[in-house]
Amino acid sequence: DAKTTQPTSMDCAEGRAANLPCNHSTISGNEYVYWYRQIHSQGPQYIIHGLKNNETNEMASLIITEDRKSSTLILPHATLRDTAVYYCIVRARNTGFQKLVFGTGTRLLVSP
Amino acid sequence: EAGVTQFPSHSVIEKGQTVTLRCDPISGHDNLYWYRRVMGKEIKFLLHFVKESKQDESGMPNNRFLAERTGGTYSTLKVQPAELEDSGVYFCASSQEGYQETQYFGPGTRLLVL
């Protein structure tokens, strides 16, 4: 699976949009971009995933650049409960590559 | 729909003892995964079941760890004998059939080996 690079930490004011970047310059054509987060003392929580089109669900939006070398997770109106470590994971669509490879992620702190 | 459940939530044992962790996946999910995070490190994959068969156990650290999924429902992860470096949080995840199905995680079991 391709390697991802994320900032170590970010801050965001409550109510504002949180934009979390991820670089995956070696991504290949059959690899998806997944985002998970881990709120303190809980298990990782699935947020969203995409291949090449932008995606939106009730939690967030995922913007993938046209060359697919980077992406941005957007939390449109961050709340204090969004404080967590966010993981960008690239995952191949092949047999035997189903495991998730977690990096160090981005620690997002949402403040009042 | 119930999520992935894990038992116990916490376990404190002494070095050399045995501990068994249990994971109940979401009903109907054929895929079951074990991951763990040891202190200060990243979350690491341990193994993957498809129904009752081990699909990938490349992440199992050594032969002190034994995972089973009899009948393709719940799974157990036994550590025998436990060592200090086994301390950490053990997560279980499950997903539906298919190679790109989303994995849903349980709350984890916090294991402390003294």
Side-chain angles (χ1 to χ4, degrees):
Chain A
D1 294 330
K3 181 178 172 58
T4 62
T5 304
Q6 300 178 251
T8 303
S9 63
M10 294 184 65
D11 294 325
C12 180
E14 188 178 20
R16 304 294 295 269
N19 297 282
L20 292 91
C22 178
N23 285 321
H24 30 80
S25 58
T26 60
I27 193 170
S28 59
N30 65 345
E31 290 180 320
Y32 285 71
V33 179
Y34 278 76
W35 284 83
Y36 279 77
R37 71 180 182 183
Q38 187 178 18
I39 297 170
H40 182 61
S41 297
Q42 298 182 21
Q45 177 188 25
Y46 165 77
I47 301 174
I48 199 167
H49 76 281
L51 183 62
K52 52 185 177 182
N53 298 322
N54 297 338
E55 303 288 343
T56 295
N57 63 19
E58 65 277 5
M59 290 182 67
S61 294
L62 174 60
I63 308 298
I64 303 174
T65 57
E66 191 169 344
D67 63 8
R68 303 211 318 125
K69 294 182 184 298
S70 66
S71 60
T72 300
L73 179 74
I74 301 173
L75 308 178
H77 306 286
T79 70
L80 300 179
R81 287 176 294 181
D82 292 322
T83 292
V85 179
Y86 288 77
Y87 297 97
C88 170
I89 300 169
V90 170
R91 185 181 175 208
R93 191 184 181 184
N94 291 333
T95 303
F97 289 95
Q98 297 195 52
K99 64 186 178 185
L100 295 172
V101 179
F102 289 85
T104 54
T106 296
R107 187 173 299 276
L108 176 68
L109 176 62
V110 181
S111 302
Chain B
E1 178 183 290
V4 177
T5 58
Q6 294 187 245
F7 182 84
S9 58
H10 296 78
S11 181
V12 181
I13 61 173
E14 293 187 351
K15 175 182 173 181
Q17 290 186 322
T18 297
V19 63
T20 300
L21 314 180
R22 173 171 169 145
C23 168
D24 286 78
I26 293 172
S27 178
H29 280 194
D30 288 339
N31 293 293
L32 188 149
Y33 309 81
W34 285 97
Y35 294 82
R36 76 170 180 177
R37 164 180 268 151
V38 296
M39 185 68 71
K41 299 292 182 64
E42 298 158 14
I43 298 172
K44 295 289 189 183
F45 166 82
L46 295 178
L47 87 159
H48 168 212
F49 283 100
V50 177
K51 297 183 181 178
E52 67 275 10
S53 299
K54 293 177 184 175
Q55 177 77 10
D56 179 0
E57 51 185 330
S58 61
M60 294 288 266
N62 51 61
N63 58 10
R64 295 186 294 103
F65 289 76
L66 175 64
E68 294 180 325
R69 192 182 182 196
T70 305
T73 54
Y74 70 92
S75 174
T76 58
L77 179 64
K78 180 190 289 187
V79 185
Q80 179 182 29
E83 299 289 344
L84 300 179
E85 63 265 25
D86 300 331
S87 297
V89 184
Y90 289 76
F91 296 106
C92 176
S94 72
S95 69
Q96 293 180 326
E97 180 182 3
Y99 299 127
Q100 271 299 333
E101 291 300 321
T102 299
Q103 295 182 26
Y104 296 93
F105 283 76
T109 293
R110 283 143 190 81
L111 174 65
L112 179 60
V113 183
L114 301 175

